[in-house]
Amino acid sequence: MKTLTLALSVVVLAGCAAMAKVDSGDRTVGDRLAVNIEGAWNHLQAPGLGPAQTWTREGLTVDQLLLYSGIKNGELVHAPSRSGREKDFAFRAGMLPDEIVAMYEGMLTRDGSSFKLTRLEPSPFGGLKGFRFDFVLTRKLDNVVLSGMGWGVVSKEELFAILYMAPRLVFFSRHAAQVEKIALSAKVRE
Amino acid sequence: MPARFARPEVGTDEGGLWAMMDRQETRLQRSPFAIRDAGLRDYVQEIACRLGGTHCPDIRVHLVRTPMFNATMAPNGMMQVWTGLMLRMDNEAQLAAVLGHEIGHYVERHTLDRLRDVKSRTAFAQFLGAFGLIGMVGQLATVAGAFGYSRDQERDADRIGAVLMRKAGFDVAEASRVWANLVAEVNSRPEAERAANFPLFATHPGAEERAETLAKLAAEAPGGETGREAWQAKIRPYRREWLAEEIKRGRREESITLLTRLIAGGPEQADYLAARGEVYRLRAQEKDFDAAIADFTAAVALGGETPEAHRGLAYIFRQRNQLPEARASFQRYIEAAPQAPDVAMIRSYLEELGK
């Protein structure tokens, strides 16, 4: 946790990152994904964060909501590894739900963290026929166990997805219902 | 071999280093990544003790669930062995080669040498003094860790490891095979990813050089036991879990090279075939689906295959529009793994296929 906090602090102190408030109401993510939110979120804005919008309620070292809008064939789902030591994970247009989950699993375990899928099922997302998955992530960095959930759909060969994760004991249950509402409100523009 | 080390004074740099490692060890013992199976841990501890001789009482083995090739030994006697390393070992002698190498670093106090070297070469000392002695030592140890051991220290550790292997009755020739196998894995990566080495590789001399040197050391006194049967029997209960973790790494080329070697190396192939089939399926390059079907089918023919072999076949059949075959394979998967987390998804496919 200390390392993560330090890394995030460096980004913020370097003056190249900002936290913007996201108010309740209809919000657009990228060109084609729209969601409705109840209650404010914080949106981290900084260069090199990768293709997802990163939102948080409690702070990035605690909870993260990642919103992916229109990820194209071959595009990475995270910021590329700076050292080249970590494996990069990219979306392929023909991916099935299990492969998309495996891609996110790879992304979340690049640092040696452990990912356990607990549910994968069909679920409407964005007004389309998508899928939902639940998982438990044990962070290698600080041994904290996080609960997580995600939704995804591929439309016109582009990936739309939402992932949320937070420590399982308090924070996940505090925000899970709100995140589910956001996912249910999602609309992918055709 | 030096005599057992006495615990250093807390007020010294070495004492500070031990204190920091003691804290790390306490944290490791509580970690969800620690494997708490006493049977496997005691078995690896026993091999470490055969190598460590009089230092045995000071060596404490911890098995860590992380799918990369790595083992470390701290100056206070804490030894970590990762599951990615154990998956890659063919026999006890190969594991002994890595453990003997780490014990070599320990008995030569290489970490302390690196710490003092970094201390003398950096201007960090004054700045870090603000954290107090232990804080300073800790920060410097982190820096030292980032630099890793010198090449000469690695060569020393290799030499000591070979001596310890021979003394314990292991076949030293297996030591060079460890490195040759790793070279094959790294070389199978796409060109752009070659720099991303295994953690243990990062600080070591050229693996080709090490394989050659160790082969020469082995030739000086050939023979010794490999302990293949005992090793294979001991790791069998964990193999599926370790293979699943290996697949999750997403290093498809490396995994194919590793699994091809493991398939060629022994009679119990169904797990390895099913795992390689899954890697081919997920890589999904030209002809990969054909290779995946061949592996899954071979695993099923051998019997005792993982349920995922049927799921893998089903996914490919579905994508190829071979609907009756897809349906039958999905059905077999659900029957074999009714509690699997993706059962609802698979049932939805079955409904689609039933229409």
Side-chain angles (χ1 to χ4, degrees):
Chain A
M1 182 67 87
K2 278 182 189 165
T3 311
L4 185 58
T5 307
L6 183 65
L8 291 168
S9 302
V10 167
V11 169
V12 173
L13 290 172
C16 49
M19 201 64 95
K21 188 179 177 190
V22 186
D23 284 318
S24 298
D26 293 328
R27 298 284 163 245
T28 304
V29 182
D31 294 331
R32 294 178 56 201
L33 180 64
V35 293
N36 178 270
I37 60 171
E38 294 174 14
W41 285 75
N42 303 293
H43 175 193
L44 179 70
Q45 294 170 320
L49 279 182
Q53 279 200 14
T54 305
W55 296 8
T56 178
R57 268 268 164 90
E58 305 283 349
L60 282 178
T61 55
V62 181
D63 73 329
Q64 282 188 49
L65 179 67
L66 302 175
L67 301 106
Y68 291 86
S69 176
I71 304 300
K72 293 179 174 52
N73 184 41
E75 193 177 343
L76 294 181
V77 288
H78 53 76
S81 164
R82 282 183 203 161
S83 64
R85 286 193 178 281
E86 293 174 322
K87 168 77 184 164
D88 286 333
F89 290 86
F91 168 68
R92 277 185 291 105
M95 276 180 159
L96 298 170
D98 80 296
E99 293 171 287
I100 293 169
V101 172
M103 174 185 70
Y104 280 122
E105 180 172 1
M107 176 188 89
L108 294 169
T109 57
R110 293 198 312 158
D111 62 350
S113 295
S114 165
F115 178 106
K116 186 170 186 239
L117 180 71
T118 55
R119 180 164 61 155
L120 170 61
E121 64 184 17
S123 172
F125 178 65
L128 302 166
K129 197 174 162 187
F131 61 92
R132 175 197 168 135
F133 62 104
D134 293 353
F135 59 93
V136 175
L137 182 76
T138 307
R139 271 197 313 226
K140 182 79 173 178
L141 191 65
D142 51 14
N143 294 334
V144 171
V145 180
L146 311 171
S147 290
M149 54 188 171
W151 291 261
V153 72
V154 177
S155 164
K156 296 181 180 170
E157 301 200 330
E158 292 182 352
L159 173 67
F160 298 84
I162 288 179
L163 263 72
Y164 180 72
M165 63 207 105
R168 65 176 173 178
L169 289 180
V170 175
F171 296 103
F172 184 79
S173 52
R174 184 180 293 173
H175 301 298
Q178 282 297 320
V179 173
E180 289 197 50
K181 278 187 185 174
I182 292 173
L184 286 171
S185 76
K187 294 277 178 252
V188 173
R189 291 184 191 135
E190 291 291 325
Chain B
M1 199 69 149
R4 284 176 65 187
F5 304 133
R7 190 170 185 88
E9 292 293 324
V10 177
T12 63
D13 57 358
E14 190 175 13
L17 188 57
W18 278 51
M20 186 187 75
M21 292 304 166
D22 287 346
R23 283 202 298 272
Q24 274 200 11
E25 192 166 3
T26 303
R27 187 168 169 255
L28 180 61
Q29 283 164 335
R30 290 197 296 252
S31 166
F33 291 90
I35 296 179
R36 293 186 171 75
D37 181 321
L40 184 62
R41 197 207 67 83
D42 291 349
Y43 171 69
V44 177
Q45 174 81 45
E46 195 181 311
I47 294 173
C49 275
R50 275 175 70 183
L51 297 158
T54 55
H55 289 272
C56 170
D58 303 319
I59 300 172
R60 298 173 303 283
V61 169
H62 301 272
L63 306 181
V64 183
R65 191 177 294 105
T66 303
M68 284 83 156
F69 182 110
N70 201 18
T72 60
M73 188 159 179
N76 68 339
M78 168 182 65
M79 178 182 273
Q80 293 189 47
V81 182
W82 291 8
T83 49
L85 183 146
M86 291 193 284
L87 175 67
R88 285 168 169 77
M89 299 296 102
D90 292 331
N91 51 46
E92 288 181 348
Q94 291 189 1
L95 179 66
V98 180
L99 302 190
H101 174 93
E102 293 304 319
I103 292 170
H105 284 308
Y106 170 78
V107 297
E108 290 294 302
R109 291 172 144 158
H110 283 160
T111 304
L112 185 66
D113 286 348
R114 291 301 289 160
L115 176 68
R116 287 175 176 161
D117 184 38
V118 169
K119 243 170 93 173
S120 67
R121 287 191 299 116
T122 69
F124 282 176
Q126 282 181 324
F127 167 71
L128 293 170
F131 293 95
L133 180 66
I134 290 177
M136 183 176 80
V137 168
Q139 298 297 323
L140 283 172
T142 304
V143 175
F147 284 115
Y149 298 118
S150 71
R151 292 194 158 210
D152 284 342
Q153 287 175 327
E154 296 294 357
R155 289 186 186 101
D156 274 355
D158 274 345
R159 182 184 48 76
I160 294 166
V163 169
L164 296 178
M165 280 183 79
R166 189 174 294 141
K167 212 171 156 190
F170 290 112
D171 183 355
V172 181
E174 292 299 322
S176 71
R177 291 194 184 108
V178 171
W179 295 103
N181 290 340
L182 272 181
V183 169
E185 281 190 48
V186 171
N187 287 346
S188 67
R189 284 183 180 174
E191 196 71 40
E193 295 178 19
R194 294 266 167 89
N197 280 334
F198 290 96
L200 199 69
F201 245 36
T203 61
H204 288 51
E208 290 93 345
E209 177 202 312
R210 302 185 71 185
E212 274 176 34
T213 307
L214 288 164
K216 278 180 197 158
L217 285 169
E220 289 170 10
E225 62 175 283
T226 63
R228 178 179 172 82
E229 287 73 24
W231 174 248
Q232 293 295 332
K234 204 71 192 178
I235 66 165
R236 190 173 298 125
Y238 311 95
R239 207 165 47 193
R240 284 189 179 181
E241 184 186 332
W242 296 351
L243 286 168
E245 295 290 327
E246 170 65 24
I247 294 168
K248 289 176 190 177
R249 287 200 312 130
R251 300 269 187 196
R252 309 293 182 221
E253 287 72 22
E254 257 173 58
S255 295
I256 288 168
T257 302
L258 166 67
L259 292 164
T260 301
R261 177 171 67 78
L262 294 174
I263 288 164
E268 296 182 62
Q269 300 177 341
D271 286 353
Y272 297 138
L273 283 163
R276 190 175 66 178
E278 185 68 357
V279 175
Y280 278 128
R281 181 183 81 82
L282 290 169
R283 187 171 73 167
Q285 291 178 359
E286 195 187 354
K287 294 186 181 170
D288 275 353
F289 280 2
D290 291 334
I293 288 178
D295 277 348
F296 287 140
T297 307
V300 171
L302 283 168
E305 73 282 4
T306 57
E308 288 74 18
H310 296 290
R311 184 183 62 185
L313 278 170
Y315 275 132
I316 296 173
F317 288 142
R318 181 171 174 265
Q319 281 180 274
R320 289 183 163 181
N321 219 27
Q322 294 176 244
L323 302 185
E325 290 88 346
R327 184 174 175 76
S329 292
F330 276 136
Q331 198 65 52
R332 280 191 205 109
Y333 171 66
I334 285 184
E335 284 163 12
Q339 305 299 322
D342 58 352
V343 158
M345 198 79 201
I346 303 299
R347 286 197 196 284
S348 76
Y349 293 145
L350 278 169
E351 280 173 24
E352 270 177 26
L353 292 167
K355 285 175 190 170

